[in-house]
Amino acid sequence: MSASTSDNTETTFWDWMLAHDQWPAFDRLLFLVYGPKIMGVLRAVAELGVADHLKDGPRTIEELAKLTDSQEQPLFRLLRTSAALRIVRQDAEGRFELTEEGESLRSDLSSSLRDLVVFSGDEMLTRPYSDLVHSVRTGAPAFEKVYGKSFYEYTESSPEAGALFDKTMTQRSWLTAVTLLRRVDLKPFKKIADLGGGWGHFLGEALTKHYPDATALLFERPSVLEQAKPLIADYGVTDRVELQAGDFFESVPKGYDAYLLNAVLNGLDDEQSARVLAKVREAIGMDKDARLFIFEKVMTPSTNEWDYSKLLDMDMLVLFGGRERTLEDWHKLTSEAGFELLTTPEKGGSPWSALECRVK
């Protein structure tokens, strides 16, 4: 981690990680314990706005201390650790500058991950992990045991937590929309229903940049639709997007060519997911030309293979009682709901997949 080697080159964090198989087994286990510490470092850098202060070029530790209202020595130690993690880099003059990874912590970029990093280190996400065993033994979300209410009840009752979650989901929605629009072709469909589509980022990107002739429905909770109105207006598609409040556990609007479920089912268990899919199946009826698109991650079927979706699967378990799924899981879930899964997810790149389904 920034330690110089005998040939005067520097060993980066990732070089160090690649060599981990050469470590003793107990050292490999101990390194895994550092996960929360690394998250704490990243969150502190994000909260201090370091990336924003470095976007125009390198700065000294004295300059950064003033800009972040920090003490110089502790800030230097934080940035030294961040440099070892390749978030920043110290130049030959001792100034700090952003790396490619650190750029993603800038708050002024549409592709920013700053709020996601802050959320990932927030206690509403980390505290439930202290009782992960509860979820493993019962299948119920540990969040409800820790906080005494569901995740969404908590974020709606806490303005600060709700605002952080909303900002995080806004960042995630834009990023996934850009990714998914490269993987799905909605040209054949003129009427699109986005069920649980959040603030409408996907529809905004789709209608303005890809499908100028389509109209759409954003079907969401009333509180979410209030936030969606200005975003849809900013995209300039207010006249092409109908906002309708509803609950897809109860009913789904009929008469659309394509139905979208974007990162909805991973927050639900199999029984809840089956209920939602049954309502979509009922809305489509026997229209063989209509499609359901499920936008989700598809986990590798290999138990031993690395896939970061397996960590997100733990998030789904402790926060919501939901789950990430393999392709086999998706085939089973959709088939039992009366759908035929038509696509095989692409390998490599983003784990996000567009699963196209039609009625059987």
Side-chain angles (χ1 to χ4, degrees), residues 142-153:
F143 189 97
E144 294 184 8
K145 182 184 178 188
V146 171
Y147 284 99
K149 58 185 69 175
S150 74
F151 181 86
Y152 288 111
E153 288 172 339

Side-chain angles (χ1 to χ4, degrees), residues 271-289:
E271 186 275 331
Q272 293 170 319
S273 297
R275 286 169 55 196
V276 173
L277 290 174
K279 294 302 178 183
V280 179
R281 178 66 180 80
E282 183 180 321
I284 292 177
M286 293 308 298
D287 185 354
K288 292 281 189 177
D289 294 324

Side-chain angles (χ1 to χ4, degrees), residues 80-108:
R80 178 174 59 188
T81 304
S82 302
L85 296 171
R86 214 163 77 173
I87 302 304
V88 296
R89 181 189 299 108
Q90 193 173 22
D91 66 16
E93 298 177 22
R95 301 174 302 173
F96 286 96
E97 60 187 2
L98 281 179
T99 62
E100 187 177 359
E101 292 85 351
E103 285 281 337
S104 295
L105 292 178
R106 287 174 50 180
S107 63
D108 61 327

Side-chain angles (χ1 to χ4, degrees), residues 21-244:
D21 282 340
Q22 301 170 24
W23 305 348
F26 65 84
D27 275 341
R28 296 199 297 269
L29 178 62
L30 283 175
F31 177 75
L32 298 179
V33 176
Y34 295 147
K37 300 175 179 64
I38 292 173
M39 183 65 255
V41 167
L42 294 178
R43 190 171 195 258
V45 171
E47 285 190 303
L48 289 169
V50 170
D52 287 342
H53 296 307
L54 293 178
K55 67 181 180 181
D56 294 324
R59 289 186 182 274
T60 66
I61 194 66
E62 293 83 6
E63 291 173 320
L64 289 170
K66 290 179 181 178
L67 290 167
T68 61
D69 191 25
S70 305
Q71 295 185 28
E72 289 182 18
Q73 190 205 55
L75 180 62
F76 173 79
R77 292 161 64 186
L78 173 68
L79 295 186
R80 178 174 59 188
T81 304
S82 302
L85 296 171
R86 214 163 77 173
I87 302 304
V88 296
R89 181 189 299 108
Q90 193 173 22
D91 66 16
E93 298 177 22
R95 301 174 302 173
F96 286 96
E97 60 187 2
L98 281 179
T99 62
E100 187 177 359
E101 292 85 351
E103 285 281 337
S104 295
L105 292 178
R106 287 174 50 180
S107 63
D108 61 327
L109 300 178
S110 57
S111 58
S112 173
L113 295 177
R114 180 187 179 277
D115 291 325
L116 188 148
V117 169
V118 173
F119 171 71
S120 295
D122 192 85
E123 68 171 13
M124 69 173 142
L125 190 63
T126 59
R127 275 188 63 193
Y129 269 92
S130 66
D131 217 342
L132 175 58
V133 168
H134 171 76
S135 290
V136 173
R137 286 177 170 160
T138 66
F143 189 97
E144 294 184 8
K145 182 184 178 188
V146 171
Y147 284 99
K149 58 185 69 175
S150 74
F151 181 86
Y152 288 111
E153 288 172 339
Y154 177 80
T155 55
E156 288 181 359
S157 65
S158 168
E160 184 177 348
L164 176 58
F165 180 64
D166 285 344
K167 287 194 294 184
T168 304
M169 290 302 99
T170 297
Q171 285 185 353
R172 191 227 63 173
S173 295
W174 184 89
L175 291 167
T176 55
V178 171
T179 299
L180 288 167
L181 284 166
R182 299 191 195 107
R183 297 193 169 211
V184 66
D185 181 12
L186 299 176
K187 286 189 182 72
F189 312 106
K190 301 305 179 187
K191 296 181 64 179
I192 302 167
D194 194 350
L195 310 176
W199 290 9
H201 274 284
F202 184 86
L203 289 181
E205 291 288 321
L207 297 185
T208 56
K209 299 179 182 177
H210 299 270
Y211 309 110
D213 299 326
T215 60
L217 167 75
L218 180 59
F219 189 71
E220 258 291 3
R221 292 171 293 146
S223 60
V224 177
L225 291 181
E226 285 302 311
Q227 302 291 336
K229 286 178 183 177
L231 182 68
I232 294 297
D234 287 343
Y235 273 110
V237 291
T238 301
D239 60 334
R240 297 168 58 199
V241 178
E242 178 187 353
L243 306 181
Q244 182 175 333

